[in-house]
Amino acid sequence: TDSTAPLAEMAKTGGAVLGFGQATDMADYKPTPRVSSIIDNWAPYYIKRVGALLDGTYAQTDAWEGIGDGEVQIGEITGVPDAVKAAGEAMRDSIASGAYHPFT
């Protein structure tokens, strides 16, 4: 969800329904119903692109940064068994290092 409204409604279920934040952390709803969040961190992109514009090196290019570049972050994983959290963190780290491609 990219709005707090669904997580607020899910919180009323006492954790019977779980959700994932989209674009922002939604940390106010942890440990349940929020399991984790995909966090868009645009700062590195804007700093790089505006910096290139300012120093005269700007060129139109595609950008495919992700977890390893810090532009996509995975929020703290909560409300799940330790083994599930460890597996999620291992997958995040594997994607960040380039050892695993998420579209494999």
Side-chain angles (χ1 to χ4, degrees):
T1 177
D2 60 0
S3 165
T4 58
L7 288 177
E9 283 299 310
M10 285 188 261
K12 294 177 185 176
T13 69
V17 179
L18 300 175
F20 292 82
Q22 163 57 36
T24 62
D25 192 16
M26 308 286 183
D28 289 346
Y29 295 94
K30 66 181 184 182
T32 62
R34 173 211 161 276
V35 173
S36 187
S37 298
I38 299 167
I39 304 163
D40 299 336
N41 176 22
W42 286 96
Y45 175 82
Y46 287 135
I47 291 168
K48 178 172 57 178
R49 302 297 281 164
V50 171
L53 186 64
L54 292 172
D55 70 17
T57 61
Y58 179 88
Q60 185 66 36
T61 62
D62 292 333
W64 294 98
E65 287 81 358
I67 294 173
D69 303 295
E71 292 190 20
V72 175
Q73 300 170 343
I74 306 300
E76 179 186 2
I77 300 170
T78 60
V80 296
D82 290 343
V84 173
K85 179 178 179 175
E89 290 172 341
M91 180 57 70
R92 173 202 62 207
D93 296 346
S94 182
I95 292 169
S97 73
Y100 182 84
H101 192 282
F103 296 105
T104 297

